Amino acid sequence: MTAALRPRPVPGLGAAAIGPAEEALVLDVLRRQELFRYYGNDPQRPPQMAATLEKEAAALLGLPYVLAVSSGTAALEIVLGAAGIGPGDEVIVPAWSWISCFTSVVRSGARPVLAEVDASLCLDPAEIARLTTPRTKAVLVVHFQGAAAAMEPIVLAAHGRGLFVIEDCAEAPGATYRGRRVGTWGDAAIFSFQHNKPMTAGEGGLIATRDLRLYERAVRLHDLGQYRAPHAAITPAREPAFAGGQYRMSELTAAVALAQLRKLDVLRDHCRALKARITARLARLPGITLRPLADDAGDFGFELYFYARTPEIAAAFRARLDALNVWCQQRTGTYPQYRREYVQTGLAANPALSPFRGISPWPAPGYRAEDFPRTEDLTARFVALPLGWKFTADDADYIAASVEAVHGEICFGEPSRPTAKTAVTSPSATPPAAPRPPLSRDKVPSSPH
Ligand SMILES: *Cc1c(COP(=O)(O)O)cnc(C)c1O
């Protein structure tokens, strides 16, 4: 442990990596004065930024169809609509997921059915068998904070029941599962370019699929029902027109998104190397358990999670790490859905559009905290250590040393204090933890299902 309190590194992923490449592409759009993707100065030759983003993303994923849209949430709403999911249908969604994983299903008219996560903090594959009913149409999988969900058992369980698999890759672009990129395992995938994501353009999203019909319907849904020439050149229109929305991406957004897409794997490899440095040391500490991943090698690595034995110990870890200038709050706001206001009310914009209308009392079983003992337990006990583009190997070593020092105090009551200057003694915040035998690593409880 170094003697001085190390300053906090500048946080951030894609946003922290913005530089000359983004500037050059944005300036190109501005100087041409062509900000709309479907036509510019020459009606015969539309500008190419959004089209190039789609082409390069498709090549990276090895998928035939990618569509740029206005946000990750828009992408979710479009995929659900394009897949024909609507009133009377059910979609399985992990209880621990981003707001729009739930709200996009509600806005489609279908009912989100909440599933427990496992210790990877992704959908527990066993939940698909438990929750599927004759009304279930799809499973929405979230690759939580950089790491792939267990796609093989998930796809087997879902496809075996005729369910459509949507991969939400907003938090894990560039991650792989068994050597193949996330977004290529299911039937359709979404990505986000919101500010807080590994790739950012402030806002923006992508839909990726190998399903031709889904692509055509997604194009129509995102562009007022239209199917313009650049898309017809990729695959001709077959589906009848229907009333769509307007979720197009602008050329300016596409310029930033394209520069960021080109940096994705470099950013990932940087985070991965830092995480590996820290993990090697934390894995040796008894009494804490690293987040077990479906594919460790495929993790993006921008956030390292470990579990403490109790929520109180996790809170003490966070307080003391924070006092040591270690970032230890989750980067992305993900919540148990059942604790959110829109779930507790069960409302849609118009009450008649709510898939929960008429259910009484509400919240019904399946939408209350007590129905998710495993998700409750796991999400109360983790400590998250975000990494970022501006973090160095020395930062990583300091994070590892800080966790070791705090661990020594909290788990064994041994003040192996890193420095006299650090405010790591706040007795009220730390329950007296029972000493643990050094070699008995805690096991995260196995699934009750
Ligand atoms: C951020 C996020 C989204 C939505 O993306 P936006 O572009 O902000 O609409 C969807 N799903 C997950 C898991 C996310 O983290």
Side-chain angles (χ1 to χ4, degrees), residues 116-131:
E116 294 254 45
V117 294
D118 62 23
S120 74
L121 295 170
C122 298
L123 176 70
D124 178 350
E127 288 288 81
I128 296 171
R130 181 174 78 94
L131 296 171

Side-chain angles (χ1 to χ4, degrees), residues 7 9 13 24 26 37 43 61 80 101 105-106 129 138 185 241 246 273 280 334 342 356 359 374 382 386 399 418 448:
L13 298 167
V26 167
R37 73 167 293 182
L61 293 167
L80 289 161
C101 303
V105 178
V106 170
W185 287 85
Q246 205 282 64
T334 299
Y342 50 81
F356 309 116
I359 301 180
R374 191 144 187 251
F382 71 64
I399 291 168

Side-chain angles (χ1 to χ4, degrees), residues 71-73 76 98 100-101 142 168 170-171 190 192 194 197 204 332:
S71 71
T73 301
L76 281 174
W98 173 242
S100 43
C101 303
V142 178
D168 182 335
E171 298 176 5
I190 74 100
S192 164
Q194 188 268 340
K197 312 287 175 175
T332 289

Side-chain angles (χ1 to χ4, degrees), residues 131-222:
L131 296 171
T132 300
T133 74
R135 295 173 297 282
T136 310
K137 288 287 160 31
V139 179
L140 174 53
V141 184
V142 178
H143 302 298
F144 176 69
Q145 291 295 77
M151 288 313 290
E152 184 174 35
I154 287 171
V155 169
L156 281 173
H159 284 176
R161 292 170 175 80
L163 309 180
F164 192 82
V165 177
I166 302 167
E167 290 182 78
D168 182 335
C169 309
E171 298 176 5
T176 58
Y177 175 75
R178 301 197 178 163
R180 227 169 84 194
R181 285 180 192 270
V182 299
T184 64
W185 287 85
D187 300 297
I190 74 100
F191 296 82
S192 164
F193 291 99
Q194 188 268 340
H195 180 73
N196 205 24
K197 312 287 175 175
M199 316 184 279
T200 185
E203 301 280 13
L206 295 177
I207 294 165
T209 184
R210 57 177 70 80
D211 181 333
L212 184 152
R213 180 164 178 266
L214 186 100
Y215 173 71
E216 183 186 334
R217 286 174 54 87
V219 170
R220 290 191 183 280
L221 201 37
H222 107 297

